[in-house]
């Protein structure tokens, strides 16, 4: 794990301090040994004819001179030693002070020291990193590939996009440093919520006696991403089990101590989501979608409006019948059916669905009929989209062909049992931008979809790029409660070369995992091996 910049500076200063002290003591010792060495200058120090002729007085005078010299030298050395001890004490005090400042208390974080102890250069560096990072405002990017996606996590699991061939789409943090990091961040968020700063306008009016204390069990979900030249951003959400009010904390680690960016209360109890579904035919898939919608939106969430934009006449009466049946059985009437007698165009359908809403501002979820979502996802949709500030582009977990995944079973299990995050069951669809949560005013302000795009694909990427070129922050992260169910794809000849390539790519990646596709490719070789094995077994039995 990379050490913070402040820690590196302290280590370097400590190392040079110790080296300097060692050299200084070596120099003093060398001077002392040189002074103690026998003197060789002058004939008086040598026995012989001259010494004998000088007599006893000469030697006495020489000894006295040497004694005075050594006394003066000893006094000088004692003075230097006392001075060195004083300097050593001063340097030790400075070193202790530096170590105490190594993890300063910044904006309410639980670290030793105070803001006054933090040096001005450190604070300037930390705040400059936050100013440069994409923490509270969006960054204008040239393409969809410039976005740094978030990793999402709970108290037990991490949902990650970058898997390679060894990591998994959902797994527990295996490395100790990663576990410690996430635990530290969750605890830091609790510190911010439970001990609000006086300058936080959100918390000023709350009486201490009325304030609810949050614990680790109240942590719902979090997101983090690292900008390699700035630091790591954390978005944390906490909620009491018996309430609808969330606490949202943003933290930033600018390659140094954690710093609080903001703390706010988010009330989503009155936030309505308009789920917009474009459709043409595929009534069986729509019936399955309505079953999921009934369980999640009508029975659990109860704050959702459904808008279905249907293209053509074939199947329209069946769709009407399904909606009317749900309305009778559940007393749900918050739906709108828009009928367009024209060729299917997903962008046009979503655009018509957005404009059909006549009740002012609303949060929209652009959805497909093959998508399965949970009540937890709806709350994530509300928490990560904010009018004029943020749009939410969750990464869907796309399920593989169940006929291949569950080939060893007579029939695939029910859909609800297929919703697992495993390498052989599906993948994070990080090249898809069709499912998104955004507010109606933001959608209209940015210009909506490019209605010139015909047929399959492309319209969602164009809209995504518009937001990247604007001032809104784009939240891009894998979401565990959002699944794309497998269905057979047909790539029409009428598609443009770019659309056809995208369609084939999606079709290939949607079919099966790397290992399962490999087993299909080498199926003939595997069957030949099994036949040889059976032949050998029979031969040995006969022999």
């Amino acid at each position: 794990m990379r050490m913070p910049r402040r820690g590196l500076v302290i280590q370097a200063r400590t190392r040079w301090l110790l080296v300097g002290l060692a050299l200084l003591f070596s120099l003093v010792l060398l001077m002392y040994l040189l002074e103690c060495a026998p003197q060789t200058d002058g004939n008086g120090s040598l026995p012989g004819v001259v010494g004998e002729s000088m007599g006893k007085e000469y030697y006495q005078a020489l000894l006295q001179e040497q004694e005075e010299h050594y006394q003066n030298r000893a006094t000088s050395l004692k003075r230097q030693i006392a001075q060195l001890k004083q300097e050593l004490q001063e340097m030790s005090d400075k070193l202790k002070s530096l170590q105490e400042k190594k993890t300063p208390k910044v904006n309410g974080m639980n670290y030793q020291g105070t803001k006054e102890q933090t040096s001005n250069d450190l604070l300037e560096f930390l705040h400059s990193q936050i100013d440069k990072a994409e923490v509270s405002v969006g960054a204008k990017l040239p393409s969809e590939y410039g976005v740094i996606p978030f990793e999402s996590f709970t108290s037990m699991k991490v949902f990650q996009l970058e898997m390679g061939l060894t990591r998994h789409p959902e797994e527990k943090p295996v490395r100790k440093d990663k576990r410690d990091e996430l635990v530290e961040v969750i605890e830091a968020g609790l510190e911010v919520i439970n001990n609000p700063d006086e300058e936080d306008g959100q918390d000023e009016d709350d009486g201490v006696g009325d304030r609810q204390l949050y614990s680790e069990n109240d942590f719902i979900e979090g997101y983090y991403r690292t900008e390699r030249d700035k630091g790591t951003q954390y978005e944390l959400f906490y909620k009491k089990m018996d309430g609808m009010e969330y606490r949202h904390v943003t933290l930033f680690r600018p390659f140094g101590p954690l710093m609080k960016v903001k703390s706010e209360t988010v009330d989503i109890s009155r936030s309505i989501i308009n789920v917009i579904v474009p459709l043409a035919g595929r009534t069986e898939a729509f019936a399955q979608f309505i079953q999921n919608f009934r369980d999640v939106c009508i029975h659990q969430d109860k704050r959702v409006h459904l808008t279905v934009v249907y293209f053509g006449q074939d199947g329209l009466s069946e769709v009407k019948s399904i909606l009317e049946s749900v309305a009778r059985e559940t007393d749900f009437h918050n739906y709108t059916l828009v009928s367009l007698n024209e060729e299917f165009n997903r962008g046009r359908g979503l655009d018509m669905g957005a404009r059909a809403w006549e009740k002012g501002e609303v949060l929209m979820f652009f959805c497909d009929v093959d998508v399965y979502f949970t009540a937890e996802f709806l709350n994530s949709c509300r928490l990560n989209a904010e009018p004029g500030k943020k749009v939410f582009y969750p990464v869907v977990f796309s399920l593989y062909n169940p006929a291949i995944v569950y080939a060893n079973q007579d029939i695939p299990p029910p859909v609800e049992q297929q919703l697992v995050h495993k390498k052989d069951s599906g993948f994070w669809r990080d090249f898809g931008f069709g499912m998104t949560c955004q507010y109606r005013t933001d959608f209209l302000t940015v210009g909506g979809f490019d209605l010139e795009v015909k047929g399959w694909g492309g319209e969602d990427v164009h809209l995504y790029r518009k937001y990247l070129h604007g001032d809104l922050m784009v939240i891009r992260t894998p979401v565990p409660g959002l699944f794309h169910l497998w269905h057979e794809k047909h790539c029409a000849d009428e598609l443009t070369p770019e659309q056809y390539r995208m369609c084939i790519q999606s079709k290939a990646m949607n079919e099966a995992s790397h290992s399962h596709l490999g087993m299909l490719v080498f199926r003939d070789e595997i069957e030949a091996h099994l036949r040889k094995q059976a032949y050998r077994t029979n031969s040995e039995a006969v022999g």
Side-chain angles (χ1 to χ4, degrees), residues 22-39 69-70 72-81 83-84:
L23 290 175
L24 189 57
F25 278 116
S26 300
L27 179 60
V28 171
L29 180 60
L30 179 61
M31 293 170 62
Y32 178 78
L33 293 176
L34 290 174
E35 291 294 338
C36 292
Q39 298 292 327
H69 173 76
Y70 286 126
N72 293 335
R73 185 58 184 161
T75 302
S76 175
L77 288 174
K78 288 179 180 179
R79 186 170 57 251
Q80 293 183 38
I81 291 173
Q83 184 178 357
L84 286 173

Side-chain angles (χ1 to χ4, degrees), residues 243-406:
M244 288 304 300
E245 192 173 83
Y246 285 76
R247 294 304 303 268
H248 175 206
V249 178
T250 300
L251 301 177
F252 190 70
R253 190 196 300 273
F255 297 132
L258 276 171
M259 300 186 71
K260 185 187 76 177
V261 177
K262 67 178 178 178
S263 174
E264 61 184 355
T265 299
V266 183
D267 185 0
I268 62 171
S269 59
R270 299 181 181 178
S271 178
I272 303 296
I273 298 179
N274 184 16
V275 179
I276 304 177
V277 181
L279 186 64
R282 307 200 59 206
T283 54
E284 291 184 4
F286 182 70
Q288 185 179 39
F289 172 86
I290 285 296
Q291 184 60 45
N292 173 228
F293 183 89
R294 179 203 297 244
D295 295 341
V296 173
C297 301
I298 301 177
H299 293 160
Q300 298 182 52
D301 191 88
K302 302 178 182 178
R303 292 163 292 156
V304 175
H305 185 95
L306 175 63
T307 300
V308 179
V309 182
Y310 196 86
F311 290 82
Q313 298 298 317
D314 187 17
L316 177 60
S317 59
E318 190 171 349
V319 169
K320 286 182 179 179
S321 176
I322 293 173
L323 291 172
E324 292 171 355
S325 175
V326 171
R328 287 193 306 270
E329 295 171 4
T330 63
D331 196 28
F332 176 80
H333 301 282
N334 294 328
Y335 70 87
T336 301
L337 177 61
V338 179
S339 176
L340 299 177
N341 192 19
E342 55 188 75
E343 185 181 356
F344 178 79
N345 182 308
R346 184 176 184 273
R348 165 119 169 109
L350 294 173
D351 188 83
M352 288 295 297
R355 299 179 188 278
W357 180 268
E358 299 177 348
K359 301 177 183 179
E361 181 67 289
V362 69
L363 175 60
M364 304 182 300
F365 170 39
F366 294 157
C367 187
D368 286 344
V369 71
D370 302 298
V371 168
Y372 184 102
F373 54 87
T374 65
E376 289 76 18
F377 164 73
L378 294 178
N379 287 333
S380 298
C381 180
R382 294 181 175 101
L383 293 170
N384 290 286
E386 187 173 355
K389 293 184 179 181
K390 294 188 296 186
V391 292
F392 187 39
Y393 272 86
V395 180
V396 182
F397 192 77
S398 190
L399 298 178
Y400 291 132
N401 187 346
I404 299 176
V405 175
Y406 304 100

Side-chain angles (χ1 to χ4, degrees), residues 132-147:
K132 290 185 225 176
E134 189 182 350
V135 177
S136 56
V137 295
K140 295 184 179 181
L141 301 171
S143 74
E144 62 272 22
Y145 305 108
V147 174

Side-chain angles (χ1 to χ4, degrees), residues 88-153:
L88 178 60
Q89 183 63 41
E90 292 175 356
M91 291 183 177
S92 298
D93 293 340
K94 289 182 180 180
L95 177 60
K96 184 178 180 180
S97 176
L98 287 173
Q99 289 174 338
E100 289 176 351
K101 293 179 181 179
K102 183 177 180 180
T103 53
K105 178 180 179 182
V106 183
N107 288 341
M109 295 291 99
N110 187 22
Y111 296 102
Q112 298 177 353
T114 63
K115 282 185 179 180
E116 288 73 21
Q117 291 175 319
T118 308
S119 59
N120 293 332
D121 57 341
L122 173 61
L123 281 176
E124 184 179 351
F125 168 74
L126 296 179
H127 287 298
S128 67
Q129 293 299 91
I130 291 180
D131 293 339
K132 290 185 225 176
E134 189 182 350
V135 177
S136 56
V137 295
K140 295 184 179 181
L141 301 171
S143 74
E144 62 272 22
Y145 305 108
V147 174
I148 302 175
F150 286 84
E151 307 277 294
S152 62
F153 66 97

Side-chain angles (χ1 to χ4, degrees), residues 402-415:
I404 299 176
V405 175
Y406 304 100
N408 58 342
Q409 302 181 21
D410 294 335
I411 58 173
V415 171

